[in-house]
Amino acid sequence: MQNFIKLSIFIILILHFFSRCSDAELDTQDFPFMIMEDVTVSTNGAALRATVTTTGGQTTSSYGFVYGNNIVPTLESDESFEVGKVLTAGTFSRLVTSGLSSETEYYVRPYAIVDGLVIYGTERFFISLGSPAPDITGISPTSAEAGATVEITGRNFALSKKGNLVKFGSISTTVDSATSVKLYVKVPLLETSEPVNITVETARSRVNSPDQFTLKSAWLPIGVSNVDIRSNATSIVLNGTAYVINDTEMSSSAFSFTFDGTPESIERFVISETANQSFSTAFQIGNRGYIVMGDQFFELNPNGNTLVRKADFPGKELQGNTLYSLSLEATGIVGFYGNSQRSWSYDPTNDRWTELNALPLALAEAGNAANSYFRFTIDGRGFMGFRDELSLWEYNPVNDSWTQKSIPEFPITPAPMIINNQVFVGYTESIISEIPTWY
């Protein structure tokens, strides 16, 4: 009896196994089945062809070929191109005329995508005889800023982004999209403002652009220093030399230094060890520079690069506030805003601070304004702008008053410039001239 029960269980398991196999075989019929045919090669490229024996009753969103040097090529790691969207029974083909290296073994198979699932067909390999070299017929634009998009037109480009190596001079860049006749690439940060060639390399064949490219408004790296320049550093320029006051509490390499435009000119600038460089700002009166560091205040003597201690800055409530300064014709304005608002003017003749009316910035605005303000002086008046609040505050030293103005909406904190007594503001790719309603 026990043997009969065991035999019955065994037969049931066998039947269940075959029924599962039958289900699996039926399930495979729900997907497309594609057979890769032999590849025809020539010096003009490779002709690919696949036969679709069934679509499995599915509607595909994309189908094509994937190929590369990997034995099992995939969409994630190898070259691919789409032949169409909706797969039908029969054959489909494509001629690869670019991006193939001569005497190189490639593996290829068809693919189809059903509801996000990639279905691959059978695989073939072929030895390439090469393909025509790439050719560039034009670039547009021929001048742009770093990060802008440049269109490269031509022929015989690789069909995938990663199959094209694009350089501006000696600097490689990112390829955003690729076809055999067009590439869209990002402008890298170049190390020169001189015109450079754009080169495209596919399958070890490289070509130069017929026109050269020029980086617009180039910010050029001039070398690497051993100085850690902090975001809250302040600076002033006297007689062609910049004096940079760093926050030494943040890093041992964040020392203060002088700089005249070349990496070799960087020299450590010694500051009193008791000075609080975490809260520093600088202003200029005539040809003399002044630096506030915490509650200590110094006049900068460029002859010998020495600091002369002056009357202490009377502002004590620096923690939780943002320090700022304005350079006016006969005086300097130093103040802060945030948890509290106060400001003073400095009289260099009498070495004396006088408290003024504070910048009337609401406390609710101060948190955002710390990293989004800009400043400039013109016609003996100082201006403090706040991008997030769309406001500009004018300080008039004649009557010690602040007046609020409106400003345009800027996408980033702008950089103001005074040229021939006119205000210009630079931001992203734009420079706009002064707007009368500002002041």
Side-chain angles (χ1 to χ4, degrees):
M1 184 67 179
Q2 289 180 343
N3 290 335
F4 176 76
I5 295 175
K6 291 180 180 179
L7 179 61
S8 299
I9 294 175
F10 176 75
I11 293 173
I12 292 173
L13 290 174
I14 292 296
L15 292 174
H16 177 69
F17 171 77
F18 281 108
S19 67
R20 294 289 293 175
C21 290
S22 178
D23 289 342
E25 291 171 358
L26 289 174
D27 288 343
T28 61
Q29 301 305 309
D30 294 336
F31 297 102
F33 189 78
M34 300 163 289
I35 299 173
M36 187 69 205
E37 307 292 353
D38 288 336
V39 179
T40 302
V41 297
S42 70
T43 55
N44 290 323
L48 310 181
R49 186 168 64 92
T51 299
V52 182
T53 60
T54 178
T55 63
Q58 300 288 343
T59 300
T60 60
S61 58
S62 174
Y63 69 92
F65 294 97
V66 56
Y67 64 96
N69 304 122
N70 294 317
I71 295 178
V72 182
T74 64
L75 290 178
E76 292 76 17
S77 59
D78 295 277
E79 305 283 344
S80 65
F81 51 84
E82 183 182 74
V83 174
K85 297 295 185 182
V86 180
L87 185 68
T88 58
T91 62
F92 63 90
S93 61
R94 182 66 180 265
L95 181 64
V96 181
T97 59
S98 61
L100 296 177
S101 299
S102 179
E103 302 301 323
T104 301
E105 190 171 88
Y106 289 90
Y107 299 85
V108 60
R109 56 180 176 167
Y111 77 88
I113 300 178
V114 177
D115 294 331
L117 178 66
V118 180
I119 309 298
Y120 293 102
T122 61
E123 182 178 309
R124 296 278 186 174
F125 79 90
F126 64 94
I127 297 177
S128 171
L129 298 179
S131 59
D135 181 35
I136 301 176
T137 57
I139 58 173
S140 179
T142 57
S143 178
E145 294 181 341
T149 297
V150 170
E151 179 187 75
I152 304 173
T153 55
R155 51 184 169 268
N156 303 326
F157 300 139
L159 298 173
S160 69
K161 295 185 289 185
K162 55 194 170 189
N164 298 279
L165 176 60
V166 181
K167 291 185 177 181
F168 287 65
S170 61
I171 308 300
S172 298
T173 189
T174 301
V175 179
D176 291 331
S177 67
T179 68
S180 63
V181 295
K182 280 188 180 181
L183 301 175
Y184 290 93
V185 301
K186 286 286 190 298
V187 178
L189 181 59
L190 303 180
E191 297 179 349
T192 177
S193 58
E194 297 298 319
V196 298
N197 285 111
I198 295 179
T199 61
V200 175
E201 181 178 340
T202 65
R204 299 193 292 272
S205 294
R206 184 171 59 186
V207 63
N208 289 329
S209 57
D211 301 313
Q212 290 190 307
F213 177 86
T214 304
L215 184 65
K216 184 187 296 183
S217 302
W219 286 86
L220 304 177
I222 62 170
V224 178
S225 72
N226 59 347
V227 184
D228 180 12
I229 303 175
R230 310 304 301 178
S231 61
N232 57 348
T234 190
S235 64
I236 190 170
V237 178
L238 294 176
N239 301 330
T241 298
Y243 297 80
V244 180
I245 313 303
N246 238 332
D247 184 355
T248 55
E249 293 183 1
M250 298 297 292
S251 169
S252 61
S253 61
F255 54 82
S256 298
F257 61 93
T258 60
F259 175 68
D260 68 8
T262 61
E264 297 78 14
S265 69
I266 292 178
E267 293 185 3
R268 186 183 292 267
F269 182 44
V270 179
I271 296 176
S272 169
E273 293 182 358
T274 61
N276 185 356
Q277 294 171 229
S278 298
F279 294 93
S280 61
T281 188
F283 60 88
Q284 185 173 350
I285 302 175
N287 61 354
R288 291 186 288 180
Y290 297 90
I291 303 172
V292 173
M293 287 179 281
D295 60 355
Q296 295 185 15
F297 180 59
F298 303 87
E299 178 181 345
L300 175 61
N301 182 0
N303 296 325
N305 295 337
T306 58
L307 292 175
V308 180
R309 185 77 177 266
K310 294 292 184 178
D312 285 352
F313 175 58
K316 306 298 182 183
E317 313 96 320
L318 296 179
Q319 198 66 39
N321 291 313
T322 298
L323 194 65
Y324 67 90
S325 62
L326 295 167
S327 300
L328 301 184
E329 292 177 353
T331 186
I333 307 296
V334 178
F336 49 77
Y337 59 88
N339 293 334
S340 57
Q341 290 77 241
R342 299 182 72 180
S343 65
W344 292 263
S345 66
Y346 176 71
D347 175 6
T349 302
N350 299 301
D351 188 24
R352 183 175 62 196
W353 292 94
T354 302
E355 187 161 11
L356 307 172
N357 288 321
L359 172 68
L361 184 69
L363 289 177
E365 299 170 341
N368 293 330
N371 295 317
S372 63
Y373 87 91
F374 59 97
R375 59 183 176 168
F376 61 91
T377 59
I378 188 172
D379 294 334
R381 294 168 292 163
F383 292 83
M384 293 283 293
F386 298 91
R387 184 200 73 190
D388 293 341
E389 285 69 33
L390 296 180
S391 64
L392 183 78
W393 291 89
E394 173 193 342
Y395 178 73
N396 189 338
V398 175
N399 55 12
D400 184 25
S401 64
W402 292 91
T403 304
Q404 187 174 10
K405 309 288 185 178
S406 62
I407 57 174
E409 184 173 353
F410 297 113
I412 64 171
T413 303
M417 298 160 279
I418 310 300
I419 304 174
N420 296 327
N421 209 38
Q422 184 177 4
V423 182
F424 293 83
V425 176
Y427 60 95
T428 60
E429 298 179 358
S430 303
I431 295 179
I432 65 172
S433 62
E434 61 180 311
I435 298 177
T437 55
W438 283 22
Y439 57 92

